[in-house]
């Protein structure tokens, strides 16, 4: 697998004279094929673009550079790839494009709910990281990169439905598997705050809301149960990111009951996992 890093952090710390053209050739053009699959605007996702460059963005980029984020991202992707190879995986993208971008600071979900991290790894061959230099990002970047890399591999093994008509159970399970992979490589304390922050009675309350809807389909329905919070679930308020905690708890329950590890479980079909977890469903 060829790993190509598209480093927007360094572009904003060592600004070339032709920044806009360099941005186009090193960031935008290598990702054109991704945006043909899913039309996306990096700016709308919360990434700073050259026309926004100012002292505050340059300072943010410098803090990310000082934390060695580009080097750590490459090392984390390489490590995740090597670990899966060691455990018998053979299905990988031929080329993996990893874009590391600086946040423009304008996305409330990025800033307030996700502690300065936005990641997308849902299309095999591409990972998009939008980062702010928060303590959360600087401490946990490796586990979050592993999470996004796991999506790449999982969706090669079991592709998303072309019509995006995914079930609640599968959407949450995919996120739980990715979190379990990050935890296996970098420790549970470094995965998503929403995943490890929901425990005990509150986790059980949330599971009782979500689990009757496992096999309901529809992207926006599944999304509402995954994210909760500002997305709202059809049945009352859920904490932000509640579905991550639920999916992660399913994975831990499955491994405790059936044995094995996250590396072997990554190859198992979602329906098989869900039917073993919920045999009466």
């Amino acid at each position: 697998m060829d790993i190509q890093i598209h480093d927007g952090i360094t572009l904003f710390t060592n600004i070339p004279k032709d920044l806009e053209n360099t941005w186009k050739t090193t960031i935008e053009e290598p990702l054109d094929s991704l945006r043909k699959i899913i039309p996306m605007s990096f700016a709308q996702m919360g990434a700073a673009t050259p026309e926004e460059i100012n002292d505050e963005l340059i300072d943010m980029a410098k803090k990310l550079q000082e934390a060695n984020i580009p080097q750590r991202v490459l090392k984390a992707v390489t490590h995740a790839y090597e670990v899966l190879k060691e455990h018998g995986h053979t299905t990988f993208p031929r080329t993996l494009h990893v874009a590391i971008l600086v946040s423009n600071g304008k996305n409330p979900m990025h800033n307030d709910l996700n502690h300065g991290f936005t990641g997308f790894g849902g299309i095999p061959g591409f990972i998009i990281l939008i980062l702010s230099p928060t303590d959360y990002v600087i401490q946990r970047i490796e586990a979050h990169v592993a999470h996004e890399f796991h999506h790449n591999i999982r969706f090669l093994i079991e592709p998303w439905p072309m019509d995006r008509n995914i079930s609640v159970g599968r959407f949450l399970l995919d996120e739980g598997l990715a979190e379990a992979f990050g935890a296996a490589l970098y420790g549970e304390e470094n995965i998503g705050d929403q995943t490890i922050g929901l425990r005990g009675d509150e986790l059980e309350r949330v599971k009782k809301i979500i689990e009757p809807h496992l096999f309901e389909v529809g992207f926006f329905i599944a999304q509402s149960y995954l994210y909760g919070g500002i997305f709202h679930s059809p049945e009352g308020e859920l904490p932000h990111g509640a579905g991550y905690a639920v999916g992660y708890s399913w994975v831990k329950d499955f491994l405790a009951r059936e044995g094995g590890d996250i590396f072997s479980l990554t190859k198992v079909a979602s329906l098989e996992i869900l039917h073993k977890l919920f045999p009466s469903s």
Side-chain angles (χ1 to χ4, degrees):
M1 184 179 73
D2 177 27
I3 302 169
Q4 296 189 10
I5 302 293
H6 307 289
D7 181 3
I9 293 174
T10 301
L11 273 185
F12 281 12
T13 55
N14 298 299
I15 300 174
K17 290 182 179 180
D18 58 343
L19 174 59
E20 290 194 13
N21 185 58
T22 304
W23 172 271
K24 182 179 179 181
T25 58
T26 62
I27 303 293
E28 290 192 349
E29 289 180 359
L31 302 172
D32 277 347
S33 54
L34 166 65
R35 292 186 291 178
K36 288 176 182 175
I37 300 170
I38 298 183
M40 60 171 61
S41 160
F42 299 140
Q44 289 178 359
M45 292 174 68
T49 54
E51 56 268 22
E52 298 177 283
I53 195 74
N54 57 36
D55 289 344
E56 182 180 358
L57 290 175
I58 293 170
D59 184 59
M60 289 173 63
K62 286 180 177 178
K63 289 177 180 176
L64 291 166
Q65 189 74 268
E66 289 166 2
N68 297 314
I69 294 298
Q71 296 87 349
R72 289 167 61 189
V73 167
L74 174 58
K75 186 175 180 180
V77 171
T78 304
H79 180 52
Y81 169 57
E82 290 175 346
V83 166
L84 286 176
K85 280 183 66 179
E86 289 169 5
H87 285 85
H89 281 259
T90 58
T91 303
F92 300 98
R94 179 173 297 177
T95 302
L96 177 62
H97 297 274
V98 183
I100 315 171
L101 309 176
V102 181
S103 167
N104 61 19
K106 298 177 182 178
N107 186 314
M109 187 171 177
H110 171 91
N111 296 337
D112 302 328
L113 297 176
N114 292 340
H115 312 293
F117 176 85
T118 298
F120 176 79
I123 301 297
F126 301 92
I127 292 175
I128 310 296
L129 304 171
I130 301 172
L131 308 175
S132 299
T134 61
D135 291 344
Y136 180 89
V137 166
I138 289 169
Q139 176 184 330
R140 304 191 192 193
I141 185 63
E142 284 85 359
H144 287 342
V145 169
H147 176 116
E148 302 304 338
F149 182 77
H150 188 273
H151 283 329
N152 255 248
I153 305 313
R154 179 71 179 172
F155 298 156
L156 278 173
I157 294 169
E158 186 178 48
W160 258 52
M162 292 297 293
D163 60 4
R164 302 178 76 205
N165 213 22
I166 196 165
S167 73
V168 172
R170 178 168 172 204
F171 204 172
L172 272 59
L173 181 63
D174 282 336
E175 297 298 340
L177 290 164
E179 288 286 63
F181 183 67
L185 268 58
Y186 295 105
E188 186 178 73
E189 70 277 9
N190 287 315
I191 62 174
D193 206 39
Q194 73 278 2
T195 303
I196 57 178
L198 192 62
R199 299 177 181 270
D201 291 343
E202 178 66 356
L203 176 59
E204 293 306 311
R205 180 190 74 83
V206 167
K207 289 170 78 170
K208 287 178 182 177
I209 293 173
I210 291 175
E211 288 176 354
H213 304 279
L214 287 178
F215 298 107
E216 290 182 16
V217 296
F219 175 77
F220 292 108
I221 293 172
Q223 182 186 60
S224 71
Y225 284 112
L226 178 68
Y227 292 115
I230 62 174
F231 287 86
H232 304 293
S233 72
E235 294 190 33
E237 193 80 14
L238 291 173
H240 173 65
Y244 287 85
V246 171
Y248 182 56
S249 74
W250 291 344
V251 173
K252 294 204 296 183
D253 289 347
F254 185 94
L255 293 175
R257 185 188 311 173
E258 303 289 334
D261 54 36
I262 183 58
F263 312 112
S264 58
L265 190 58
T266 294
K267 299 179 182 180
V268 180
S270 298
L271 276 178
E272 181 178 342
I273 297 170
L274 291 169
H275 283 309
K276 284 186 177 180
L277 282 168
F278 306 99
S280 61
S281 296

